Amino acid sequence: MMKVVALAGGVGGARLVDGLAQCLPPEDLTVIVNTGDDFEHLGLHISPDLDTVCYTLGGIANPPTGWGRAHESWRMLESLAELGGPTWFRIGDRDLATHLERTRRLCSGEALSKITQEFCCAWGVLPLVLPASDQPVPTWVSTDQGEMHFQEYFVKRQCQPRVQGFRFAGVEAAEPAPGVLSALLSCDLVVICPSNPWVSIAPILAVPGIRAAVAAKPTLAVSPLIAGKAVKGPAAKMYREFGQPASALSVASHYGDLLAGFVLDRLDARLAPEVEAMGIRPLVVNTLMKTRASRRRLAREILDFAERFVLTGN
């Protein structure tokens, strides 16, 4: 059995990670999660991508949305609205406990990585889940309406401003969280999940030392775009606003020489020869993950592909 490190953020990343967790022993899977989405709201430290990955692996994510907790209630938010407080970022009552306890522990001096591991134990999450860094590296989005934190762009403004660039504040001084580099050093394969390349994967790779460690390993990526559209989120819109085609081929070019393999959906099969011309081995499969079974099926196909071609260099 191979040791796998997955780079993930968002719902698509969490779903593939869940598929990988169904196929691999827990000790053979490490998940490195984007923290560029982290921000302070209502005085609380919120880690949206970490929570989405952990809730999904723990089987407690909200199925209709893919984020937040299952069986959620919203009394706090309703009461906050009565008082005229900000309700644009929806925090449910069960989800609130996560943010309260994380904030309390951070304020007492505990590291985000340690807190995450203890939360995973409480939720029954068996694979190792690590933030990319324990230091804050918030993603700021430069737009035609000014610079704003990613959560304002993504949630409050519903991705409407036109994107002009990104800044990962403080990333130059950040360090990989404990365990990140050792996991990459000892793994057999890196899987870049079907997460937004611009705002989910780029903040991870920007942390000093991580990109070089990934580049030293056989790596494959799964396209978050299918037939020019993102399953969730603004990835396709971002490619267009940067003057690039919204296509799986643009994603493969985005990662470039990091990749030994690239996974495209069957609807993009015609792009496979162009991916191969880039020196990247393509795998064409159904990448849409509507059920837990389809997550497992996709993960199994990826792992089998890696064993046959990526790890052997054939």
Side-chain angles (χ1 to χ4, degrees):
M1 191 65 71
M2 72 180 79
K3 287 187 175 293
V4 175
V5 171
L7 309 187
V11 174
R15 287 176 175 169
L16 181 57
V17 163
D18 180 51
L20 291 168
Q22 294 180 60
C23 297
L24 295 167
E27 63 271 17
D28 288 342
L29 176 62
T30 298
V31 189
I32 301 173
V33 184
N34 169 47
T35 54
D37 289 11
D38 290 20
F39 77 126
E40 186 175 296
H41 183 62
L42 301 174
L44 302 174
H45 181 100
I46 315 255
S47 295
D49 279 0
L50 272 174
D51 292 342
T52 296
V53 167
C54 293
Y55 289 165
T56 301
L57 286 172
I60 56 175
N62 183 24
T65 62
W67 55 265
R69 293 282 302 259
H71 312 297
E72 191 59 277
S73 58
W74 305 93
R75 292 184 179 180
M76 181 280 291
L77 207 66
E78 293 164 0
S79 296
L80 184 63
E82 292 173 0
L83 299 172
T87 59
W88 59 269
F89 192 87
R90 293 182 60 78
I91 299 174
D93 300 330
R94 295 167 66 84
D95 194 29
L96 177 62
T98 301
H99 310 315
L100 284 168
E101 181 62 2
R102 179 191 292 118
T103 304
R104 184 188 72 80
R105 293 189 183 191
L106 286 170
C107 289
S108 72
E110 292 185 49
L112 181 61
S113 54
K114 179 177 181 291
I115 297 166
T116 301
Q117 289 175 42
E118 292 185 3
F119 284 5
C120 284
C121 288
W123 295 325
V125 175
L126 298 179
L128 180 60
V129 179
L130 297 170
S133 178
D134 279 333
Q135 289 81 46
V137 286
T139 297
W140 288 83
V141 186
S142 176
T143 78
D144 59 353
Q145 298 177 30
E147 189 180 55
M148 61 193 71
H149 187 276
F150 175 74
Q151 293 299 338
E152 180 177 349
Y153 164 81
F154 182 58
V155 181
K156 190 173 185 178
R157 304 208 188 188
Q158 298 291 295
C159 307
Q160 292 178 0
R162 184 179 181 86
V163 171
Q164 298 171 338
F166 305 101
R167 177 170 65 90
F168 311 127
V171 73
E172 298 83 4
E175 298 178 356
V180 166
L181 292 184
S182 59
L184 287 167
L185 182 66
S186 62
C187 77
D188 301 302
L189 176 72
V190 176
V191 175
I192 300 177
C193 292
S195 306
N196 188 311
W198 299 102
V199 292
S200 291
I201 303 301
I204 299 174
L205 296 174
V207 176
I210 293 184
R211 187 182 185 93
V214 170
K217 290 293 179 176
T219 300
L220 61 80
V222 182
S223 177
L225 301 184
I226 300 175
K229 297 179 180 179
V231 179
K232 280 183 174 290
K237 176 178 181 286
M238 288 174 174
Y239 275 104
R240 289 193 297 269
E241 289 172 354
F242 282 120
Q244 301 178 38
S247 75
L249 190 63
S250 292
V251 178
S253 299
H254 190 115
Y255 294 126
D257 57 9
L258 279 181
L259 300 184
F262 187 67
V263 184
L264 309 91
D265 190 83
R266 288 173 180 164
L267 295 179
D268 292 312
R270 62 183 177 78
L271 300 175
E274 294 180 74
V275 171
E276 195 155 20
M278 296 167 60
I280 301 169
R281 187 82 180 223
L283 170 66
V284 178
V285 292
N286 177 8
T287 62
L288 199 59
M289 295 175 283
K290 292 185 176 181
T291 64
R292 285 205 78 215
S294 63
R295 300 173 194 176
R296 179 185 178 91
R297 184 262 313 151
L298 177 59
R300 185 72 268 160
E301 290 173 330
I302 290 169
L303 295 174
D304 289 345
F305 169 71
E307 286 183 327
R308 293 197 313 270
F309 300 113
V310 176
L311 300 185
T312 63
N314 293 333

